[in-house]
């Protein structure tokens, strides 16, 4: 079966979103206590979402908001280290802070969750809308 270029495999995207949520829970542990309480509880809420709730638009809007709040925190804590490479190609990090690195990992995990969950949410909404057509 040939897929169109814009085709979304809803099952694969859903599985990836669930996997990314699991990675988010693991990434939260080392930095949780250093986060402000409001952010800590907001991330806890995302980590605890059931599979059904993970694809609800209002829950995904919360993820979008949380990413913006973490980006502000990232700037406030001195940023994340930037990867540079030697002439030989070896990677090394410059600048930023340790907490900034951990916050950046949270942001990356949240971005991964939403990049896979939003298409699933859209597909669910589209199927529901089509089901209501006469």
């Amino acid at each position: 079966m040939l897929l169109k270029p814009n085709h979304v495999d809803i099952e694969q995207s859903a599985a990836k979103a669930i996997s990314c949520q699991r990675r988010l829970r693991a990434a939260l542990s080392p930095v949780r206590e250093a986060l402000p309480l409001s952010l800590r509880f907001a991330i806890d809420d995302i980590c605890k979402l059931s599979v059904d709730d993970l694809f609800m638009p209002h829950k995904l809007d919360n993820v979008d908001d949380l990413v913006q709040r973490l980006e502000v925190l990232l700037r406030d804590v001195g940023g994340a280290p930037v990867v540079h490479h030697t002439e030989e190609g070896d990677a090394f990090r410059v600048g930023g802070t340790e907490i900034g690195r951990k916050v950046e990992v949270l942001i990356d995990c949240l971005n991964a969750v939403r990049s896979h969950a939003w298409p699933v949410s859209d597909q669910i909404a589209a199927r529901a809308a089509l089901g209501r057509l006469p």
Side-chain angles (χ1 to χ4, degrees):
M1 178 172 136
L2 292 176
L3 299 177
K4 295 180 181 173
N6 291 335
H7 174 78
V8 174
D9 182 336
I10 194 168
E11 290 83 12
Q12 185 177 15
S13 289
K16 286 181 181 178
I18 294 165
S19 173
C20 292
Q21 183 191 32
R22 191 171 36 255
R23 281 196 325 243
L24 173 64
R25 283 192 291 267
L28 177 60
S29 295
V31 70
R32 188 175 187 283
E33 295 302 316
L35 295 174
L37 282 178
S38 63
L39 283 173
R40 190 182 311 170
F41 294 138
I43 295 175
D44 285 343
D45 289 345
I46 302 301
C47 288
K48 293 176 186 175
L49 287 176
S50 68
V51 172
D52 294 331
D53 286 342
L54 183 60
F55 305 107
M56 299 299 292
H58 66 280
K59 300 293 185 178
L60 291 173
D61 285 338
N62 293 343
V63 174
D64 294 343
D65 177 61
L66 186 53
V67 167
Q68 292 175 356
R69 292 171 56 200
L70 283 170
E71 287 171 346
V72 170
L73 176 66
L74 181 60
R75 287 189 298 272
D76 290 348
V77 299
V82 177
V83 176
H84 292 278
H85 294 86
T86 64
E87 290 180 12
E88 293 80 28
D90 298 325
F92 65 96
R93 296 180 182 269
V94 176
T97 62
E98 182 64 20
I99 186 78
R101 185 186 64 76
K102 292 175 182 177
V103 169
E104 184 179 50
V105 169
L106 289 177
I107 292 169
D108 291 344
C109 288
L110 286 165
N111 281 331
V113 167
R114 69 183 181 168
S115 73
H116 294 293
W118 268 119
V120 174
S121 178
D122 293 342
Q123 287 279 340
I124 292 168
R127 287 178 182 175
L130 291 173
R132 290 190 297 268
L133 291 177

